[in-house]
Amino acid sequence: MTERIYGRRPVAEAERGRRRVHRVWRAPDTPADELERLCGSPDHQGVVAEVDPYPYADSSALLDAEDALVVVLDQVQDPHNLGAVCRAAEVAGAAGVVIPDRRSASVTPAVCKASAGAVEHLSVARVRNVADWLGYAKQAGAWVYGAAAEAERRYTDVDWSGRVALVLGSEGSGLRPRVAGACDELISIPLGGRIGSLNASVAAAVIMFEARRQRTSRHPA
């Protein structure tokens, strides 16, 4: 069983990533309308590839490193949001991303495109129950922070060293109560505009790069 991904960066990253690339179609050798037919999207940028299915990671292995930073998404259903979170996580040096296996976007070709191919190098794991996985993360020595707009503590005021899980909910409903209750602490990003919210991918990027800033300032290269 194979799938077809599309876009210059996604295909290029797949070619140097983990999964096997079986065939590549490129313009102008393949007409644009044929490329669109092959991948089902007009956003192919002149290249489509047939690849193995996405290799999901073992969720328990994401916390192996003593300084693992794992992003956990609670029912984020927009594939563009998931792709953007994965792109930010890979660039920020996160150990991986955890998503539920139901009521959530999965790693589809559209997510590969939105991530600019980052999913080819990032560990993404699916779990049956997010709150239960957070309990496992705590047992593994991780501190769990949940992003919530109403939280009083700012994301810049916490210690991001060691094993950490950062939990974000969907843009519309935020964290579900049981997932929020499984967090050690809720944190927020102070906002100055009128709309009063950020989507999950922007919030994840802001917080992850604060974590990276703290970690690199303690251990400069």
Side-chain angles (χ1 to χ4, degrees), residues 21-109:
V21 177
H22 296 270
R23 183 177 178 183
V24 177
W25 296 267
R26 298 184 192 277
D29 296 332
T30 306
D33 58 349
E34 175 65 7
L35 291 172
E36 182 173 346
R37 186 194 68 79
L38 286 167
C39 69
S41 171
D43 301 325
H44 50 73
Q45 297 178 314
V47 59
V48 175
E50 184 177 17
V51 298
D52 281 348
Y54 185 75
Y56 286 99
D58 177 0
S59 62
S60 62
L62 297 183
L63 292 166
D64 284 351
E66 293 182 359
D67 63 346
L69 171 61
V70 178
V71 181
V72 184
L73 300 180
D74 182 30
Q75 295 190 336
V76 171
Q77 299 181 1
D78 183 345
H80 296 285
N81 248 348
L82 174 56
V85 169
C86 290
R87 183 176 187 175
E90 204 283 325
V91 174
V97 172
V98 170
I99 58 176
D101 59 13
R102 293 184 301 168
R103 298 178 183 173
S104 170
S106 57
V107 183
T108 61

Side-chain angles (χ1 to χ4, degrees), residues 52-203:
D52 281 348
Y54 185 75
Y56 286 99
D58 177 0
S59 62
S60 62
L62 297 183
L63 292 166
D64 284 351
E66 293 182 359
D67 63 346
L69 171 61
V70 178
V71 181
V72 184
L73 300 180
D74 182 30
Q75 295 190 336
V76 171
Q77 299 181 1
D78 183 345
H80 296 285
N81 248 348
L82 174 56
V85 169
C86 290
R87 183 176 187 175
E90 204 283 325
V91 174
V97 172
V98 170
I99 58 176
D101 59 13
R102 293 184 301 168
R103 298 178 183 173
S104 170
S106 57
V107 183
T108 61
V111 170
C112 296
K113 178 70 164 54
S115 79
V119 293
E120 305 300 340
H121 311 290
L122 180 73
S123 295
V124 180
R126 292 191 293 188
V127 297
R128 178 171 295 180
N129 187 289
V130 169
D132 288 347
W133 189 85
L134 295 177
Y136 162 79
K138 290 180 183 180
Q139 292 176 354
W143 193 266
V144 179
Y145 292 109
E150 70 278 7
E152 293 185 3
R153 193 166 191 199
R154 297 186 176 195
Y155 75 104
T156 51
D157 294 337
V158 300
D159 183 355
W160 291 99
S161 62
R163 288 186 179 92
V164 180
L166 167 62
V167 192
L168 301 106
S170 65
E171 185 177 354
S173 56
L175 299 175
R176 289 174 294 165
R178 185 164 179 255
V179 172
C183 297
D184 290 304
E185 192 168 5
L186 298 180
I187 57 171
S188 64
I189 301 171
L191 302 175
R194 295 183 179 182
I195 63 171
S197 67
L198 294 171
N199 67 27
S201 61
V202 174

